[in-house]
Amino acid sequence: MDTRQIFETVSMIEEQNLDIRTITMGIALLDCIDSSSGKATRKIYEKIVRSAEKLVQTGRQIESEFGIPIINKRISVTPIALLLGAAEDLDPESETSGPVAYALALDRAAKELGVNFVGGFSALAHKGCNQGDTLLLNAIPRALAATEFVCSSVNVGSTAAGINMDAVRRLGEVIKETAALTAHIGSIGCAKFVAFANAVEDNPFMAGAFHGVGEAECVINVGVSGPGVVKRAIEKVRGEPFDVLAETIKKTAFKVTRMGQLVGLEASRRLGVPFGIVDLSLAPTPAVGDSVAGILEEMGLESVGTHGTTAALALLNDAVKKGGVMACSHVGGLSGAFIPVSEDAGMIAAVERGALDLNKLEAMTAVCSVGLDMFVVPGDTPAETISAIIADEAAIGVINHKTTAVRVIPAAGAKVGDHVEFGGLLGHAPVMPVSKYGSVDFIKRGGRIPAPIHSFKN
Amino acid sequence: MKAIITVIGRDRPGIIAGISATLYKQDVNILDVTQTVMDGYFTMTMLVDLGKGPRPFDDVKKSLQSTGEELGMEIRLQRVEIFDSMHQI
């Protein structure tokens, strides 16, 4: 084997922060459905602990043998709203026999196994809310405040069904309540909740991972990362035309995705669980040199947020997908470039220097892999404004046949100019201003925005 | 199980001797070696066979790391598949 190639791989891992962001085990909980909430929560705990018993240990062993860091080991489960709908003895407010008990069961299992997160305190409410969905939505703030490892998501729209504006309206309030209940820790509960449109069933990334009902009993999904590797690669083609730039990103994405495929297949073999997909997203971290914004700036932008940013991101997202698709037998999840604010040093700097505002961020989400992610708005932002932000983002996804999402933190007590610290992979973020004009009457309407027409595209 | 050992550090006498002795003690067979010195920096890649025995991968890795510390070199042991999968279709 070529020595140069060996050292290229070593340098990608050691110097350019190439890592496997997560091995996520998806576990179906449909057999845990029970009319007794006590029995259901017991079955949930037992099934997760049994299925993922060796997940962390196997992840660590693969990490050691291949010398590639695997940052997180996670679990995603069937949307819990489906289980809540069946329980006959639920007391919506109770922590022992209500929806929060289901979240606590997930949390206990995560703690027992030593995984980093468990996702799936979720509801699929894109066309309407059934009984389980309503119970879950109302319990989200308390569930996120009472647990440490649980992540929650609600799908509020789809291209086939339109947008459930009743759910969107309720989520504005839910996010505010979550911020208030976790006010003492920077309203961090909101960082563990995401509102989706066109949610995917096999996403290994948090906070939006859940194990869809169309999935197998148990699968292994892998999320790769590597913004630093892409940045280093395109530094070598500075000043070259876009064709060369796109080609360079494709080749790099190919190499990165091959790692994911290798680790996914190895984990699947060792755990005796089918391999699901590789999600080839470029997921930044607050570490220096691990920034998606850094890639966009390396393309020639003075700062992320300036004119040209949307085009640069579109090229990046597309080239990452094209390079990754050939590298792997099954690509899925979100796959593309993530643009969270707090988790990306370059995005934080752009907001701080006044180059990036929410309007430009929203435009960027029309071409990135997900949506408005990990941004902080003032604590006194009205619930209706948050709902309207979700509605805008859902509309982009529903009309354009793509997944979009909102993970917003209206940090309690925070004002524009303040800085909120979350720590770890979640990073820190400056508080961004929202429009001073309200959306109250718009959100108050409720009902459903109809599904878009699939013809006459312009 | 085949693996690649990569070694980087300032050149000094006894590097190959030290690493080979450690591998010999661990019953690891050396299949191929490439080494060069650039600007006083010693770089070496070694293809090795850890055999099929019950000896845990981590033991070999740990003993190489402690040899690395003694020699003042960075020594890594990684299974060969990671390089194959990245650079070969």
Side-chain angles (χ1 to χ4, degrees):
Chain A
M1 185 178 294
D2 189 334
T3 308
R4 205 170 35 88
Q5 291 176 337
I6 292 175
F7 279 105
E8 181 191 348
T9 303
V10 170
S11 144
M12 279 181 178
I13 296 167
E14 298 291 325
E15 294 161 28
Q16 300 157 35
N17 300 310
L18 173 61
D19 58 49
I20 300 295
R21 183 52 47 83
T22 177
I23 296 183
T24 304
M25 180 182 270
I27 304 170
L29 296 183
L30 293 169
D31 55 342
C32 302
I33 290 177
D34 203 295
S35 57
S36 149
S37 59
K39 277 190 194 160
T41 50
R42 202 159 47 245
K43 285 189 202 168
I44 290 172
Y45 174 83
E46 283 166 5
K47 179 156 190 194
I48 295 175
V49 170
R50 193 173 61 243
S51 309
E53 192 187 2
K54 295 197 173 111
L55 178 64
V56 171
Q57 179 199 336
T58 305
R60 284 198 189 125
Q61 193 57 36
I62 292 174
E63 195 170 4
S64 169
E65 286 180 23
F66 293 98
I68 177 133
I70 300 170
I71 308 297
N72 274 195
K73 291 90 187 169
R74 302 170 176 170
I75 287 165
S76 64
V77 297
T78 304
I80 292 294
L82 294 173
L83 283 75
L84 293 177
E88 289 169 0
D89 61 348
L90 277 185
D91 171 1
E93 302 303 317
S94 166
E95 287 217 349
T96 49
S97 61
V100 176
Y102 288 67
L104 289 168
L106 296 176
D107 207 46
R108 276 199 307 281
K111 215 170 283 179
E112 169 67 25
L113 293 166
V115 295
N116 305 88
F117 289 111
V118 52
F121 196 74
S122 305
L124 303 177
H126 37 280
K127 203 167 180 188
C129 288
N130 60 34
Q131 189 180 298
D133 298 335
T134 306
L135 284 163
L136 185 123
L137 253 71
N138 291 335
I140 287 171
R142 282 174 293 126
L144 292 178
T147 58
E148 202 178 337
F149 304 103
V150 174
C151 289
S152 172
S153 58
V154 175
N155 194 46
V156 296
S158 77
T159 300
I163 305 171
N164 175 357
M165 288 300 289
D166 290 323
V168 169
R169 178 176 58 186
R170 181 71 189 109
L171 285 184
E173 297 158 1
V174 163
I175 290 170
K176 290 280 287 182
E177 287 164 28
T178 306
L181 287 181
T182 54
H184 57 293
I185 37 175
S187 296
I188 203 167
C190 297
K192 293 187 279 180
F193 173 77
V194 56
F196 272 121
N198 288 327
V200 292
E201 297 197 319
D202 53 5
N203 161 28
F205 285 101
M206 296 296 172
F210 63 87
H211 186 71
V213 286
E215 294 284 313
E217 183 67 17
C218 189
V219 293
I220 287 292
N221 297 323
V222 169
V224 298
S225 185
V229 180
V230 174
K231 180 168 184 295
R232 185 66 66 89
I234 68 169
E235 279 170 9
K236 292 180 189 143
V237 295
R238 207 170 275 171
E240 299 275 347
F242 286 109
D243 321 64
V244 178
L245 180 65
E247 205 56 25
T248 307
I249 297 170
K250 265 163 62 180
K251 285 180 185 158
T252 312
F254 179 87
K255 291 178 184 170
V256 169
T257 309
R258 295 286 282 184
M259 298 286 91
Q261 163 98 347
L262 174 71
V263 168
L265 287 175
E266 193 65 26
S268 137
R269 189 182 62 78
R270 292 185 191 195
L271 291 163
V273 169
F275 171 56
I277 56 97
V278 172
D279 184 323
L280 43 99
S281 290
L282 294 183
T285 69
V288 176
D290 206 19
S291 157
V292 169
I295 299 173
L296 303 179
E297 289 170 0
E298 177 55 42
M299 286 188 197
L301 301 170
E302 194 177 349
S303 170
V304 156
T306 187
H307 307 289
T309 302
T310 312
L313 183 58
L315 181 151
L316 173 65
N317 205 40
D318 184 59
V320 165
K321 287 181 205 284
K322 284 174 179 163
V325 161
M326 194 191 150
C328 176
S329 51
H330 295 288
V331 169
L334 302 164
S335 288
F338 290 157
I339 49 167
V341 175
S342 78
E343 297 171 357
D344 186 317
M347 297 287 280
I348 297 167
V351 173
E352 282 172 343
R353 70 170 75 96
L356 178 63
D357 60 16
L358 271 181
N359 294 328
K360 188 61 181 178
L361 196 62
E362 184 185 300
M364 290 165 73
T365 67
V367 298
C368 81
S369 68
V370 200
L372 290 170
D373 196 14
M374 284 304 288
F375 64 106
V376 183
V377 297
D380 61 1
T381 304
E384 293 84 355
T385 296
I386 291 171
S387 294
I389 291 172
I390 296 172
D392 280 343
E393 196 56 26
I396 290 172
V398 165
I399 298 291
N400 294 304
H401 291 255
K402 76 182 286 293
T403 304
T404 49
V406 174
R407 185 159 52 144
V408 54
I409 299 110
K415 295 184 179 57
V416 174
D418 290 352
H419 211 89
V420 180
E421 192 74 40
F422 302 111
L425 284 181
L426 296 174
H428 58 99
V431 180
M432 298 170 83
V434 296
S435 173
K436 60 183 177 184
Y437 302 102
S439 317
V440 177
D441 291 341
F442 180 74
I443 294 301
K444 216 191 277 175
R445 286 174 182 271
R448 183 150 53 95
I449 293 181
I453 193 161
H454 297 291
S455 188
F456 312 113
K457 295 243 173 216
N458 277 307
Chain B
M1 184 196 295
K2 286 182 185 166
I4 298 269
I5 296 171
T6 50
V7 185
I8 307 174
R10 205 160 267 288
D11 195 19
R12 53 167 279 184
I15 300 170
I16 296 182
I19 294 168
S20 306
T22 303
L23 293 175
Y24 175 69
K25 272 184 223 153
Q26 293 284 336
D27 200 19
V28 174
N29 189 24
I30 300 171
L31 302 175
D32 197 3
V33 183
T34 312
Q35 68 118 65
T36 179
V37 179
M38 288 182 298
D39 290 336
Y41 276 90
F42 177 93
T43 60
M44 177 170 76
T45 57
M46 227 177 214
L47 177 65
V48 297
D49 190 352
L50 278 71
K52 288 182 182 159
R55 182 183 35 263
F57 184 95
D58 286 347
D59 287 359
V60 180
K61 197 171 175 174
K62 262 181 218 153
S63 63
L64 278 172
Q65 275 163 354
S66 61
T67 305
E69 276 163 30
E70 284 164 27
L71 293 169
M73 310 290 288
E74 272 181 55
I75 303 181
R76 291 184 196 85
L77 176 72
Q78 290 164 283
R79 281 178 59 172
V80 74
E81 290 92 331
I82 191 162
F83 304 101
D84 283 343
S85 72
M86 188 181 264
H87 299 288
Q88 286 170 22
I89 301 178

